[in-house]
Amino acid sequence: AQSVAQPEDQVNVAEGNPLTVKCTYSVSGNPYLFWYVQYPNRGLQFLLKYITGDNLVKGSYGFEAEFNKSQTSFHLKKPSALVSDSALYFCAVRLTYGNNRLAFGKGNQVVVIP
Amino acid sequence: DTAVSQTPKYLVTQMGNDKSIKCEQNLGHDTMYWYKQDSKKFLKIMFSYNNKELIINETVPNRFSPKSPDKAHLNLHINSLELGDSAVYFCASSQVVRDSLFFGQGTRLTVV
């Protein structure tokens, strides 16, 4: 079965500094990888995805993520964090074949300090 | 226009009651889902329907019964509500397997 791990509970970063949210995955085949963001009292919003092709994926709001097959990682990054980036971030993985079960990580709370 | 809409947004009810949550998507997607988010924000899939056919049915008590009258709607009915059912329930939809999910705003269910 597929799974993801988000090792940190909370990431604190000063406004203007680079932001990284870590994610590692475990699947028995090739993965589709996703990042979602959840603002307070809202549903999840799609940020970006890796399907195939370039390992560096660019998404919404200036975020990007790099697929690293050898390290089984898909870390989310933003060069310069904004206070409005403070939210809960979820990494997710699904297999490229078979059922369409999407497994989410536990989520990382990002706090951007003004 | 809201892409995935759920009603109600908040639901407070007593133990033992039966309640329903409705979900509709206007994106033309073939697949719809129900997810449960617990108090620790952990998300777990409950059900998935593709073109009105149940394709994912996780280990969920049979008090929970999804119903899909057409591919744009996926409702969740819960019988004999328990305190542990208190959570936020999210409906979502996607077009194909590799596509991203579009989520509704969630229904916060509180069982007292």
Side-chain angles (χ1 to χ4, degrees):
Chain A
Q2 60 271 35
S3 65
V4 293
Q6 294 181 248
E8 299 156 316
D9 287 332
Q10 182 163 310
V11 175
N12 297 326
V13 61
E15 187 177 22
N17 281 3
L19 169 63
T20 298
V21 189
K22 295 180 180 177
C23 172
T24 57
Y25 66 90
S26 173
V27 295
S28 56
N30 292 321
Y32 293 142
L33 292 155
F34 303 81
W35 275 101
Y36 289 83
V37 60
Q38 184 179 24
Y39 298 100
N41 300 314
R42 302 289 296 276
L44 278 72
Q45 296 177 30
F46 168 73
L47 275 181
L48 51 80
K49 66 182 177 183
Y50 171 80
I51 302 298
T52 186
D54 287 342
N55 290 340
L56 185 63
V57 178
K58 294 188 183 295
S60 307
Y61 313 122
F63 283 94
E64 60 185 30
E66 185 166 11
F67 171 62
N68 188 318
K69 189 171 184 178
S70 62
Q71 297 185 4
T72 61
S73 67
F74 190 57
H75 301 331
L76 181 70
K77 298 183 180 183
K78 186 170 183 178
S80 178
L82 301 172
V83 173
S84 57
D85 293 328
S86 298
L88 191 58
Y89 291 81
F90 289 92
C91 182
V93 65
R94 65 159 43 125
L95 289 171
T96 58
Y97 62 89
N99 71 65
N100 57 355
R101 186 174 279 105
L102 184 66
F104 283 88
K106 66 179 176 59
N108 280 129
Q109 184 66 50
V110 169
V111 177
V112 182
I113 304 162
Chain B
D1 283 344
T2 303
V4 182
S5 60
Q6 297 178 226
T7 53
K9 189 171 182 180
Y10 299 98
L11 185 54
V12 181
T13 188
Q14 290 186 327
M15 276 175 34
N17 284 352
D18 302 339
K19 291 293 178 185
S20 292
I21 306 172
K22 295 185 176 181
C23 179
E24 176 182 5
Q25 54 96 1
N26 63 6
L27 298 167
H29 288 168
D30 288 337
T31 308
M32 296 185 71
Y33 312 78
W34 277 108
Y35 279 85
K36 179 181 179 180
Q37 187 173 45
D38 63 23
S39 58
K40 295 184 178 180
K41 305 296 185 182
F42 186 71
L43 269 167
K44 185 174 180 182
I45 190 167
M46 300 174 68
F47 303 102
S48 176
Y49 271 74
N50 182 268
N51 276 321
K52 302 193 298 175
E53 182 181 346
L54 181 66
I55 56 172
I56 293 176
N57 185 352
E58 290 295 291
T59 307
V60 176
N62 58 15
R63 298 181 293 104
F64 290 79
S65 54
K67 284 189 172 52
S68 182
D70 55 61
K71 75 173 193 177
H73 295 83
L74 180 61
N75 304 322
L76 183 65
H77 188 75
I78 315 170
N79 289 328
S80 303
L81 278 155
E82 300 178 357
L83 292 176
D85 298 332
S86 295
V88 180
Y89 293 83
F90 287 102
C91 178
S93 71
S94 69
Q95 181 54 32
V96 294
V97 171
R98 65 180 189 179
D99 268 0
S100 54
L101 270 60
F102 286 78
F103 282 82
Q105 80 278 20
T107 297
R108 183 174 295 275
L109 171 65
T110 303
V111 182
V112 297

